[in-house]
Amino acid sequence: MATRSIFALAAAVAAVQAASDVPTVAIPLVLRYAQGKRVATDIVLPYATIEAVYDLGSPDFIMFEDNSTMNWGCQYLGCQGKCNASVPDTISYNPDLSTTKTDEAPWNGVYGYGGGLTKMYTSDKTINDTFTFSNAVGPTLEVPNVKVALVQYLQQRIYDANGTCSPVPTYSQSILGISPHVENSVTGPSFRQNLLDSGAISAAVQSLWFDKPPSDNITSGEPWIGTGLLGGIDTSKYTGPLVRIQRSFLEYSQDQYYTSAANMTFFGGGGVPGVALPNNYSIELTGVNMTECLIDSGAGSESFFPADEAAWLTATGLRWNPDRTQPGSDLAFPGPCDTIPEDSYFEYSFVGAREGESVTVKIPLRNYHRYQDPLDEQRGWCTVAIYLRGCGLSRTFNTAVYFAADDERFEIAIAQGGISEVGSGVDQDSVVLRIP
Ligand SMILES: *[C@@H]1O[C@H](CO)[C@@H](O)[C@H](O)[C@H]1NC(C)=O
Ligand SMILES: *[C@@H]1O[C@H](CO)[C@@H](O)[C@H](O)[C@H]1NC(C)=O
Ligand SMILES: *[C@@H]1O[C@H](CO)[C@@H](O)[C@H](O)[C@H]1NC(C)=O
Ligand SMILES: *[C@@H]1O[C@H](CO)[C@@H](O)[C@H](O)[C@H]1NC(C)=O
Ligand SMILES: *[C@@H]1O[C@H](CO)[C@@H](O)[C@H](O)[C@H]1NC(C)=O
Ligand SMILES: *[C@@H]1O[C@H](CO)[C@@H](O)[C@H](O)[C@H]1NC(C)=O
Ligand SMILES: *[C@@H]1O[C@H](CO)[C@@H](O)[C@H](O)[C@H]1NC(C)=O
Ligand SMILES: *[C@@H]1O[C@H](CO)[C@@H](O)[C@H](O)[C@H]1NC(C)=O
């Protein structure tokens, strides 16, 4: 016994030393409380702080250049509308104000986002600069020689219903895409691939997690805090096993992470005013191609497809919004956000990628409420970011579920997250290069 434990100790020390050598880049993450908010990082410039979506759903890094235009008003694909608004300087990169920029180069980039390409950003140049990333709580990070595409024009496919060009629609200030880089891709720049090429990281591996939830005081608007670790996997930020789940291969979309839909169960904790409480309720999913479920931290709403919608609504206590004009506001909890029962949650069970394996993660019902529709607020309801159609694992999924990917090996893995202390960043001694 004694001999064995000495060997075990020696092995553990060796493992720790090896782990510490894994070169990583740790991006501080934040998820704020509002309609347009996504998993994000703040890019801190001397003259502006720009919120960049930390996007598992796209591969390129873009920012607005100063004096850019945001256009909308045409509801068809690829056409210009009659409404223009200036993109504010406070969310734009200004090359004239940078003392550290290098390598400005012409570039014809067109970047499409949103279901049905609702947003099209166009760029005429790339630039290199040193950028500071922050979430205002945990450690900040400075990365030199980052290449970014500067965007001058955004066209949004949004109809101007009353012909007044008002209100001005929202949009992402910057998008830091971290989905897989595809060899010979015509787009870019890819932040991750550039880190790999420069040796700042040593493998096309990444992990993403959020810390413990913010306080239950929903009106304080406290954000979620997390980390996007590029080049490694911090094994101290989840509980239970990290299990490989199936990664679906889609010929036409090799730069995104798709998996199969989970089996879902809702556990009702009680406390919904005026609602008869369900027993634990198994939600059957149906009606979509269940191998095409997109993992996308840059998407606002979770999507799933209950077979029996009425039963699902009864079980969860959620309600259709009487008014559903706002994007993302299909469903609401019929009470103020801070009355959502703390012990209600969804359980997602995924088939493992390896024979006989599976993994189950829990997402508290409270996590889904990061958006308040003004109409819901007036009636004392709380909007939840859930669509009852399609299949998508989005920002709320990331708040509770640890995610890891090894693009070289075409592997993705998940575990129960949301356990680390807020702002604790990375534990370098727990970092490994591959999915264990
Ligand atoms: C933006 O507009 C200002 C004022 O018109 C001008 O001085 C500046 O050069 C413009 N910047 C770019 C990038 O065109
Ligand atoms: C809106 O801005 C675009 C790009 O600058 C320009 O081509 C277009 O003419 C503008 N439209 C209107 C109505 O001003
Ligand atoms: C136009 O309609 C939108 C809702 O579709 C409304 O929020 C806005 O106030 C209207 N604008 C005017 C000027 O009436
Ligand atoms: C600009 O950044 C890219 C990507 O990091 C790098 O490949 C290139 O060498 C950089 N250019 C200069 C002049 O340093
Ligand atoms: C919740 O936060 C709001 C806004 O910061 C504050 O006014 C209120 O006192 C807080 N409530 C509790 C119970 O801490
Ligand atoms: C479902 O998606 C997978 C992966 O793209 C594809 O191979 C399969 O043909 C699709 N099945 C159906 C019924 O469309
Ligand atoms: C619902 O599930 C929870 C967690 O497994 C369990 O503690 C509880 O007893 C179940 N309630 C019913 C009514 O089955
Ligand atoms: C999901 O449900 C189906 C049908 O009940 C079952 O065959 C499968 O094993 C379940 N998968 C997991 C991971 O629980």
Side-chain angles (χ1 to χ4, degrees), residues 29-32 35-41 51-59 172 174-179 206-210 227-228 256-257 293-302 392-399 401 403:
L29 301 182
V30 60
L31 172 57
R32 299 190 167 89
Q35 174 192 6
K37 297 306 180 186
R38 308 286 190 261
V39 173
T41 182
E51 189 184 84
V53 177
Y54 189 79
D55 189 11
L56 273 176
S58 69
S172 297
S174 167
I175 298 172
L176 177 55
I178 48 145
S179 75
Q206 65 172 320
S207 50
L208 191 166
W209 66 90
F210 274 86
T227 304
Q256 291 182 303
Y257 297 115
C293 199
L294 183 63
I295 300 175
D296 186 1
S297 57
S301 291
E302 308 306 303
L393 305 164
S394 309
R395 64 175 176 183
T396 303
F397 186 76
N398 288 120
T399 62
V401 181
F403 174 80

Side-chain angles (χ1 to χ4, degrees), residues 246 248-252 258 288-292:
Q246 190 216 328
S248 311
F249 178 80
L250 272 65
E251 182 65 45
Y252 60 89
Y258 282 92
V288 289
N289 185 333
M290 287 308 190
T291 63
E292 293 183 8

Side-chain angles (χ1 to χ4, degrees), residues 212-254:
K212 287 178 180 167
S215 81
D216 278 343
N217 183 355
I218 284 158
T219 45
S220 71
E222 227 179 300
W224 293 76
I225 296 297
T227 304
L229 186 64
L230 303 175
I233 289 159
D234 186 336
T235 57
S236 70
K237 305 294 178 179
Y238 54 83
T239 177
L242 179 63
V243 179
R244 288 168 180 77
I245 57 171
Q246 190 216 328
R247 183 174 164 197
S248 311
F249 178 80
L250 272 65
E251 182 65 45
Y252 60 89
S253 190
Q254 296 178 39

Side-chain angles (χ1 to χ4, degrees), residues 264-423:
M264 291 180 68
T265 309
F266 179 76
F267 292 89
V272 185
V275 173
L277 282 178
N279 293 322
N280 294 339
Y281 177 74
S282 263
I283 301 160
E284 276 179 65
L285 293 158
T286 188
V288 289
N289 185 333
M290 287 308 190
T291 63
E292 293 183 8
C293 199
L294 183 63
I295 300 175
D296 186 1
S297 57
S301 291
E302 308 306 303
S303 297
F304 33 79
F305 210 120
D308 184 340
E309 195 177 279
W312 189 92
L313 291 169
T314 305
T316 57
L318 300 177
R319 295 284 175 272
W320 289 114
N321 282 5
D323 181 303
R324 278 191 254 157
T325 55
Q326 301 277 345
S329 63
D330 279 16
L331 291 168
F333 179 82
C337 293
D338 56 9
T339 63
I340 298 176
E342 280 177 67
D343 48 359
S344 290
Y345 59 92
F346 288 101
E347 217 175 62
Y348 291 57
S349 291
F350 292 87
V351 183
R354 294 180 172 176
E355 189 70 31
E357 288 189 355
S358 68
V359 58
T360 298
V361 290
K362 283 182 186 182
I363 306 184
L365 186 57
R366 282 199 160 204
N367 291 32
Y368 294 84
H369 77 72
R370 304 305 292 176
Y371 161 56
Q372 182 66 65
D373 181 326
L375 285 164
D376 273 348
E377 187 147 38
Q378 278 165 29
R379 57 173 88 89
W381 285 17
C382 179
T383 314
V384 294
I386 297 174
Y387 284 132
L388 291 190
R389 56 179 179 270
C391 188
L393 305 164
S394 309
R395 64 175 176 183
T396 303
F397 186 76
N398 288 120
T399 62
V401 181
Y402 182 98
F403 174 80
D406 182 335
D407 297 349
E408 255 170 60
R409 298 178 177 175
F410 205 75
E411 290 177 340
I412 54 176
I414 60 166
Q416 184 68 51
I419 59 151
S420 39
E421 292 309 318
V422 174

Side-chain angles (χ1 to χ4, degrees), residues 45 70 75 87 116 151 154 196 303 335 337 362 367 388 431 436:
L45 303 172
M70 192 275 289
Q75 64 193 351
V87 176
V151 160
L154 161 63
L196 192 56
S303 297
C337 293
K362 283 182 186 182
N367 291 32
L388 291 190
V431 173

